[in-house]
Amino acid sequence: MDLETRIRSSFDRQTMMQTIGARLVSVAPGAVSIEAAIRGDLQQQHGFAHAALAFAIGDSAAGYSALTVIPEDHDVVTSEMKIHLLAPARGETLVARGRVVKPGRRLVIVTADVFAVADGVETHAALLTGTMVPL
């Protein structure tokens, strides 16, 4: 199975991503992008995207970036993930761009940058750093 088909097949089985309406945008070795609309039911009390939305798509983008660099017969789970909220996530869409910092057999170090898109302008809203464990 080719890399993109493998990642998309796994992503399509994530009911959480379906619930929030997330979409897999791009897949490349060591890098995955996911986006989700900032719907009214995914906002916090000030009208920004809830941090949980940024975390969810950031964690998934980082995790799938890790999945692209491990053997096809393996999977990954998040061992640890930290989020830095950098700016209010105002706009129509959130885009998470995950990437592998350091691949390894036992641990894969990852990051994800989450951008809020308003009228075509991206604002860096969150930075996630974490560790994925190959299974």
Side-chain angles (χ1 to χ4, degrees):
M1 178 181 316
D2 75 350
L3 180 64
E4 184 155 351
T5 301
R6 175 177 166 223
I7 301 305
R8 286 190 183 281
S9 174
S10 177
F11 184 84
D12 289 345
R13 293 190 305 272
Q14 280 210 19
T15 57
M16 175 65 172
M17 293 295 106
Q18 293 170 18
T19 298
I20 63 174
R23 185 175 76 83
L24 189 59
V25 177
S26 66
V27 176
V32 169
S33 294
I34 296 171
E35 70 177 23
I38 302 174
R39 303 184 323 220
D41 62 334
L42 300 174
Q43 296 176 4
Q44 45 84 286
Q45 70 275 17
H46 301 292
F48 312 139
H50 197 285
L53 179 61
F55 189 89
I57 67 170
D59 176 55
S60 286
Y64 280 115
S65 70
L67 192 60
T68 69
V69 300
I70 65 169
E72 187 173 328
D73 63 339
H74 287 67
D75 211 331
V76 297
V77 293
T78 304
S79 167
E80 167 272 332
M81 188 64 68
K82 180 177 182 173
I83 188 168
H84 299 273
L85 300 171
L86 306 173
R90 297 182 176 105
E92 303 86 39
T93 308
L94 285 186
V95 177
R97 296 185 183 112
R99 71 177 181 87
V100 172
V101 174
K102 184 179 186 313
R105 286 184 312 113
R106 296 179 191 264
L107 300 174
V108 181
I109 308 306
V110 293
T111 65
D113 292 292
V114 181
F115 298 89
V117 183
D119 298 322
V121 177
E122 293 187 354
T123 298
H124 200 185
L127 169 66
L128 288 80
T129 57
T131 306
M132 298 291 160
V133 178
L135 301 175

